[in-house]
Amino acid sequence: MTAFSAFFLPGHVRVFAVAERDEALRWLSELPGQLAGVRLQAEDGVVVVDIGQPLRREDVDAIAAEVDGWLAEHRDLPGLALRAHGFPGWENLSGLLHHIRFVAGHQSRVARLALVFDAPGADVAARLAGTLLHPEIRHFPVAARDEAVRWAATQPVPAG
């Protein structure tokens, strides 16, 4: 029950058995843990995000800092590529809500979003998100990660 309720708490929560005291102390000393890898490819205006764990507030803040840095000097961000081995999800409700606020505040200024991960239903999720959000959204399997970044860097052809 504690593990389930951890999703709804604002901070980092992990449950340890009494016998795991040393591991618990090590985990606490390493917080916040490894952030998502975020880098800007300035030559083509694509922010590439490598996600290795469920998204946290800190990850969204790191992504926002890179995107906002670009948007401070440019009208739009040509592309954003999110790469993970599987659907990463969110560490907790706070991370999810922070991500939703980021999307709501930035989606109108991002031209393309490449979702790069292997998970059942990823294509359907990308198509659904594409009907609800401004960026052109496309799913790519992990094996096509480089193709995904190239696609994100290519300007979409205007409809009409």
Side-chain angles (χ1 to χ4, degrees):
M1 184 64 173
T2 304
F4 171 75
S5 62
F7 180 80
F8 298 100
L9 298 174
H12 307 285
V13 178
R14 184 171 163 198
V15 178
F16 294 90
V18 174
E20 298 173 311
R21 180 181 182 277
D22 291 339
E23 184 180 346
L25 291 173
R26 183 186 52 73
W27 179 78
L28 284 170
S29 70
E30 294 174 355
L31 286 175
Q34 181 66 35
L35 293 176
V38 181
R39 66 182 169 81
L40 170 66
Q41 293 185 178
E43 65 278 2
D44 51 22
V46 174
V47 172
V48 179
V49 182
D50 290 304
I51 305 166
Q53 62 191 17
L55 284 173
R56 301 165 298 167
R57 289 181 65 93
E58 296 91 346
D59 298 315
V60 176
D61 287 341
I63 297 166
E66 205 64 59
V67 170
D68 290 344
W70 176 271
L71 292 176
E73 298 180 17
H74 302 86
R75 184 171 175 239
D76 293 312
L77 179 72
L80 178 61
L82 303 178
R83 306 186 312 188
H85 288 290
F87 178 71
W90 300 270
E91 179 184 68
N92 54 31
L93 185 60
S94 176
L96 171 61
L97 295 175
H98 204 55
H99 182 213
I100 290 170
R101 283 191 291 273
F102 169 79
V103 170
H106 291 81
Q107 59 104 12
S108 66
R109 296 184 68 191
V110 176
R112 284 188 161 181
L113 172 61
L115 301 175
V116 186
F117 59 88
D118 295 329
D123 285 329
V124 174
R127 282 194 300 272
L128 178 62
T131 63
L132 301 173
L133 301 173
H134 172 277
E136 182 179 349
I137 301 174
R138 185 171 162 197
H139 168 255
F140 294 83
V142 171
R145 59 190 285 156
D146 294 335
E147 177 189 345
V149 174
R150 284 191 299 274
W151 175 83
T154 307
Q155 290 301 305
V157 177

